[in-house]
Amino acid sequence: SDIIFYNLIEVLGLDPAHANDTIAYAKLLCELLAKGSRASITPHSVYSLSETLWELTQHEIANAPLVSIHYAESRDEALLTQKREGELANTFTSWGLPLDDCPKMTPFEIVSKYLPRNSRVLFVHNTHLSHHEAITLKGLFKQSFFTLCPESNLHIEGTLPNIAMLM
């Protein structure tokens, strides 16, 4: 078969006390899956990693040929990362998740800081991606791909990305 499988091991965690264990487990999964196919570690989203976990993940993905990240998934994504406000922040707080160690930047600043420029990057969702962001992301990384998830987007936000803009 000409089909090539590639496993992306998503890491997430907002509690910096668990960051080392999270990366260790992701590395173990990656090693196990790499025996039969390709695999690499990748961050889940701009809003679901503590700064400590981001730094560990950045080290692990420095030479990764492929990285994926949920990006511009909802309006609350930027509210959470910049101001610790919005529905996501309220939900995480109600679950007892700490927000103190999250990077306090825009989603664009987070991917600019932590993702390797020499990688192919899959930006997943893109429901609230601006034209300017799309153009800038395309130029920032070796290759940028905007991945669509229509059913998830409709479930999460009740809307779809501007598909014509992404082409």
Side-chain angles (χ1 to χ4, degrees):
S1 171
D2 292 335
I3 297 174
I4 298 171
F5 290 93
Y6 197 103
N7 295 290
L8 294 161
I9 313 303
E10 289 188 348
V11 295
L12 62 144
L14 296 171
D15 189 340
H18 300 294
N20 285 315
D21 290 341
T22 300
I23 282 293
Y25 186 63
K27 286 168 72 171
L28 176 64
L29 283 174
C30 201
E31 288 171 21
L32 291 171
L33 289 169
K35 291 178 182 176
S37 63
R38 298 177 187 171
S40 63
I41 294 170
T42 197
H44 169 260
S45 68
V46 296
Y47 60 83
S48 63
L49 281 75
S50 66
E51 196 151 11
T52 305
L53 185 54
W54 263 117
E55 290 167 1
L56 294 170
T57 302
Q58 182 183 35
H59 174 74
E60 292 300 321
I61 66 174
N63 296 308
L66 180 65
V67 175
S68 78
I69 188 159
H70 294 228
Y71 189 83
E73 188 173 359
S74 72
R75 294 190 195 285
D76 278 345
E77 184 176 300
L79 281 174
L80 173 64
T81 61
Q82 293 177 272
K83 300 178 181 180
R84 309 295 190 261
E85 296 175 358
E87 197 173 315
L88 271 176
N90 294 340
T91 299
F92 288 175
T93 301
S94 75
W95 291 345
L97 297 172
L99 300 178
D100 298 343
D101 195 49
C102 293
K104 200 165 189 178
M105 303 176 230
T106 67
F108 179 81
E109 290 169 334
I110 292 170
V111 298
S112 297
K113 179 177 180 178
Y114 292 111
L115 298 186
R117 305 282 169 100
N118 61 337
S119 290
R120 292 174 296 171
V121 180
L122 302 174
F123 292 95
V124 181
H125 290 292
N126 309 294
T127 310
H128 298 283
L129 183 71
S130 73
H131 183 259
H132 179 263
E133 273 181 299
I135 298 294
T136 308
L137 289 169
K138 285 180 186 178
L140 194 60
F141 300 99
K142 179 180 179 179
Q143 289 182 298
S144 297
F145 301 95
F146 300 105
T147 307
L148 304 177
C149 303
E151 286 212 26
S152 294
N153 292 342
L154 289 171
H155 176 74
I156 295 166
E157 285 284 299
T159 189
L160 296 170
N162 181 342
I163 296 168
M165 177 193 71
L166 299 175
M167 298 178 93

